[in-house]
Amino acid sequence: MNSKEIEHQMYTMCMVADEDQVLLIKRPDHKGFPGYLAPGGKVDFPESITDAAKREVLEETGLHVKNIIFKGWDEYVNPQTNVRYMVFNYLADSFEGCLLEDPPEGELHWVPRNEALALPMQSWFKRKFPLFFEEGTFEVHSVWDEEHNTEGASKTRIFTKEK
């Protein structure tokens, strides 16, 4: 199969941190991907991936993030439909603005980082949540099982500078 027969979709996710707290969206069931997760969404053509991350945070939270750091990527390949979903992940520890009163994707909550994993969230987000705060960058590669609407085989790698 050549690359022209594979559809590529690009998304972003940006974890917003304020000291020991993170900003999470509590997505309702009807929006898809219910539970708590970080802001993010589709990369619009022809914008840059970093600009997309900043735009998504602004649209979903009302905050203008600054000083964002690239943390890694996760990808989901779907062999049944020949689609590769790529998510580029960032961490922002500096921002301006006020939270939206009526956010479009769900309720906004500042959550202590050490309590976040106890909240209901998608398994793929729970797996990568700690990776936002580790040194280096990460890669998560997963195969999506379209027939069962579930994640299949998955591999996570961390890239750090050797000391």
Side-chain angles (χ1 to χ4, degrees):
M1 172 175 309
N2 69 48
S3 63
K4 293 183 193 260
E5 297 171 339
I6 301 168
E7 178 183 347
H8 294 84
Q9 295 187 17
M10 294 190 297
Y11 298 85
T12 65
M13 181 166 276
C14 186
M15 182 73 66
V16 180
D18 187 9
E19 296 187 15
D20 68 338
Q21 295 195 95
V22 293
L23 181 61
L24 298 176
I25 301 170
K26 183 181 179 187
R27 285 178 60 95
D29 290 351
H30 73 275
K31 290 272 187 187
F33 301 114
Y36 289 81
L37 54 90
K42 213 169 205 172
V43 177
D44 293 334
F45 186 82
E47 77 183 326
S48 78
I49 296 167
T50 303
D51 288 344
K54 291 178 176 182
R55 175 186 51 77
E56 285 290 342
V57 172
L58 179 60
E59 289 175 1
E60 295 181 1
T61 71
L63 299 180
H64 293 270
V65 291
K66 305 182 299 181
N67 189 35
I68 70 172
I69 301 161
F70 178 69
K71 290 304 297 176
W73 65 96
D74 47 320
E75 62 180 347
Y76 298 86
V77 296
N78 186 332
Q80 291 91 6
T81 60
N82 295 337
V83 177
R84 179 182 300 266
Y85 301 89
M86 299 184 74
V87 183
F88 297 87
N89 298 279
Y90 295 86
L91 175 64
D93 61 2
S94 178
F95 56 86
E96 294 177 342
C98 298
L99 293 179
L100 297 173
E101 289 186 26
D102 189 22
E105 296 298 320
E107 300 170 16
L108 300 172
H109 296 273
W110 284 107
V111 177
R113 196 170 105 193
N114 62 356
E115 296 175 16
L117 289 175
L119 297 171
M121 56 182 61
Q122 299 288 310
S123 60
W124 54 265
F125 182 64
K126 188 172 282 229
R127 175 184 58 230
K128 78 177 178 178
F129 180 88
L131 302 176
F132 283 95
F133 307 101
E134 290 186 16
E135 185 179 331
T137 57
F138 65 86
E139 173 191 48
V140 178
H141 176 84
S142 301
V143 177
W144 187 255
D145 181 347
E146 182 77 14
E147 183 180 339
H148 298 100
N149 196 34
T150 187
E151 185 178 38
S154 182
K155 178 170 58 171
T156 301
R157 295 193 292 185
I158 308 291
F159 302 95
T160 59
K161 204 178 214 183
E162 289 189 30
K163 296 180 181 184

